[in-house]
Amino acid sequence: MTTTPTTVPEKPDVLSAEFARDPHTYYKIMRDFYPVLHHEVSGYYFVSRYEDVARIYKDSVGFSNENYAFQMEPVIGKTVIQMGGREHAINRQLITPALRGNYLEELLPQVDELATEMIDKFRTAGRVDLAEDFTKWFPINVIVKMLDLPREDLPKFHEWYSSLMAFLANLTNDPEIHAWGMRTQQEYPAYILPIIAERRRNPGTDLISRLTQAEINDEQFSDEQIKALIGLLLIAGGETTDKSIASTLKYLIMHPEQLEAVRQDPSLATRALVETLRYHPPVQIILRTTTDDVEVAGTVIPVGSVVGCVNGAANRDERRFDDPDTYNIFRADINIRQAFAGSADHIAFALGRHFCVGSLLAKREAETAINQILAAMPDIRFADGIEPTDAGLFTRGPESLIVEFTPAS
């Protein structure tokens, strides 16, 4: 008896138009045939299987966050996500109280009020682009409230975090994207540093003031460190939460029975968010740098290489999840209780000690947004029946989310 040899598909090109249109088709090819894919143009190694990606995030010996020195530091400065060892531990201890615990509880009523205020502007319209008119601005509004900055400056913040996101994902070293990042490098510090200095002199109850006063073992943040941290908040708290909310609403509309379940039981919004984080995470790729020659899935990745951990592929790995290409908010292979901690089953916020410290804030923003939108739009549906399309390589979500509904009377 003879067997027909398996045909090995052509190696995917992560920068191709085909990949951009439908990455999940190519993610499967990567997992099955190229679990460590070396991309010649960028020089990066893309890792796609769940077990391998999880190992990289948790391995503080073979992998580091040094890549952020060229991804983010040139634009906003050195942030906690590129630090290691004692420096990382101290900075994380200083940040954590500002994004969890009592301060977060104080902020939550304001998150609810902001969502209501924004939805009030279109709840009687009958048609709205939720991506453009809500999800794009809601998380930045929350951050601006936390920082006590002028709301009229929202377009500036969006411009700055958009330039930083483009700079971070600039695999081809596009000179225009580089120049955009360098403009932000000049404009952003000129705006924020005088504000930080003033809050240090006259502290209030806002997040900037709290950061100027935070202290552990006689160590405090410098103005430069606070500047960098706020820049990180803009990108991590703006771009990713925007896409998390938009994608969750998109997939609920595509699955009416699950949408109705969330409408009937608002606590299920958490399950819907977690399933979106697994099924289609807002951050599709996070980079790491090898600190030694490291073997992954039979491939030796040389020391000093940049490794792309493909969250979007790992979260659909058949080796880890049952029926991974099905969106199911009731799936049994995700522990909801640990979904926003470093031991999460899904890979959306990284894992281990570099797990996103702002995950609980993102969770609460998304729960508020999902439940308020569904309450305001009982018969929400895609406008003209057209399913929205996604865009983005490193971060990904709906380009637009135009919906129709019976307007409130």
Side-chain angles (χ1 to χ4, degrees):
M1 179 178 176
T2 60
T3 58
T4 303
T6 301
T7 302
V8 177
E10 183 179 350
K11 184 169 75 170
D13 178 3
V14 298
L15 295 181
S16 69
E18 294 78 14
F19 194 102
R21 278 194 295 270
D22 182 20
H24 287 288
T25 292
Y26 296 98
Y27 288 163
K28 180 166 176 54
I29 293 173
M30 291 166 66
R31 288 192 304 267
D32 290 347
F33 299 97
Y34 305 95
V36 178
L37 186 154
H38 184 228
H39 185 249
E40 284 78 10
V41 173
S42 63
Y44 295 1
Y45 290 81
F46 291 95
V47 177
S48 51
R49 290 180 182 169
Y50 181 95
E51 182 180 8
D52 297 327
V53 171
R55 170 200 159 192
I56 291 169
Y57 285 140
K58 295 175 182 178
D59 185 351
S60 60
V61 177
F63 300 88
S64 77
N65 291 19
E66 294 173 12
N67 43 280
Y68 288 112
F70 69 81
Q71 275 191 289
M72 295 178 66
E73 187 175 353
V75 179
I76 61 168
K78 188 176 183 180
T79 68
V80 65
I81 62 173
Q82 80 184 72
M83 297 173 185
R86 182 177 182 276
E87 184 182 29
H88 173 264
I90 290 290
N91 276 265
R92 192 172 175 98
Q93 281 182 281
L94 286 166
I95 294 166
T96 298
L99 294 175
R100 293 175 179 257
N102 292 338
Y103 178 65
L104 181 58
E105 291 301 317
E106 293 171 18
L107 180 70
L108 295 184
Q110 299 175 60
V111 172
D112 296 341
E113 291 169 8
L114 280 170
T116 302
E117 179 186 331
M118 294 184 69
I119 294 169
D120 281 347
K121 294 178 180 178
F122 53 74
R123 71 172 70 241
T124 60
R127 181 185 175 104
V128 66
D129 183 345
L130 286 174
E132 181 59 38
D133 296 328
F134 182 71
T135 68
K136 175 179 174 180
W137 299 106
F138 175 52
I140 309 180
N141 262 295
V142 172
I143 293 169
V144 166
K145 173 71 74 172
M146 292 169 66
L147 301 173
D148 191 21
L149 296 174
R151 290 183 69 177
E152 59 266 27
D153 290 339
L154 280 171
K156 291 181 182 179
F157 304 136
H158 188 270
E159 171 75 8
W160 291 333
Y161 94 57
S162 296
S163 74
L164 179 56
M165 194 64 242
F167 192 92
L168 181 149
N170 190 14
L171 267 68
T172 59
N173 295 313
D174 184 314
E176 291 188 9
I177 292 176
H178 182 82
W180 188 17
M182 292 302 97
R183 287 195 298 275
T184 296
Q185 180 196 53
Q186 299 299 314
E187 295 169 4
Y188 168 63
Y191 174 91
I192 201 68
L193 283 172
I195 294 173
I196 296 170
E198 172 59 26
R199 302 285 170 86
R200 195 180 291 280
R201 290 191 296 269
N202 299 294
T205 59
D206 60 279
L207 180 57
I208 296 176
S209 296
R210 288 170 186 255
L211 291 173
T212 65
Q213 305 303 305
E215 182 176 308
I216 289 180
N217 298 333
D218 296 324
E219 294 195 39
Q220 288 186 308
F221 283 124
S222 68
D223 289 6
E224 283 289 332
Q225 288 173 314
I226 296 173
K227 175 208 75 176
L229 176 57
I230 293 170
L232 177 62
L233 277 176
L234 286 171
I235 186 170
E239 175 90 0
T240 59
T241 307
D242 160 15
K243 287 177 166 52
S244 294
I245 297 169
S247 293
T248 302
L249 291 168
K250 169 187 168 179
Y251 290 121
L252 285 176
I253 296 170
M254 291 172 63
H255 299 83
E257 291 182 1
Q258 296 183 58
L259 184 151
E260 186 59 26
V262 176
R263 192 191 304 284
Q264 295 299 321
D265 180 0
S267 70
L268 292 177
T270 308
R271 281 191 165 273
L273 171 62
V274 171
E275 176 63 348
T276 299
L277 292 173
R278 183 204 66 83
Y279 185 79
H280 192 73
V283 182
Q284 295 275 301
I285 301 171
I286 294 177
L287 302 186
R288 291 290 187 263
T289 302
T290 54
T291 56
D292 204 342
D293 291 349
V294 183
E295 183 175 332
V296 178
T299 297
V300 175
I301 304 176
V303 61
S305 298
V306 177
V307 177
C309 297
V310 189
N311 301 338
N315 277 341
R316 298 265 195 115
D317 192 343
E318 304 88 341
R319 301 157 188 81
R320 172 60 181 80
F321 297 103
D322 294 330
D323 196 14
D325 291 322
T326 295
Y327 185 85
N328 176 15
I329 68 172
F330 300 106
R331 65 171 49 250
D333 50 8
I334 291 280
N335 185 331
I336 298 297
R337 292 183 178 179
Q338 64 187 38
F340 297 92
S343 56
D345 296 309
H346 66 81
I347 298 178
F349 298 118
L351 293 171
R353 64 192 179 93
H354 278 283
F355 188 82
C356 176
V357 71
S359 62
L360 289 181
L361 174 60
K363 169 181 178 288
R364 188 57 166 78
E365 288 180 65
E367 291 168 345
T368 293
I370 294 161
N371 284 323
Q372 288 206 29
I373 288 291
L374 295 188
M377 305 175 182
D379 57 350
I380 188 172
R381 58 198 178 272
F382 296 136
D384 307 317
I386 299 173
E387 183 182 313
T389 57
D390 293 334
L393 176 63
F394 275 68
T395 62
R396 190 171 178 86
E399 290 186 283
S400 65
L401 189 58
I402 304 174
V403 300
E404 293 178 342
F405 55 96
T406 300
S409 56

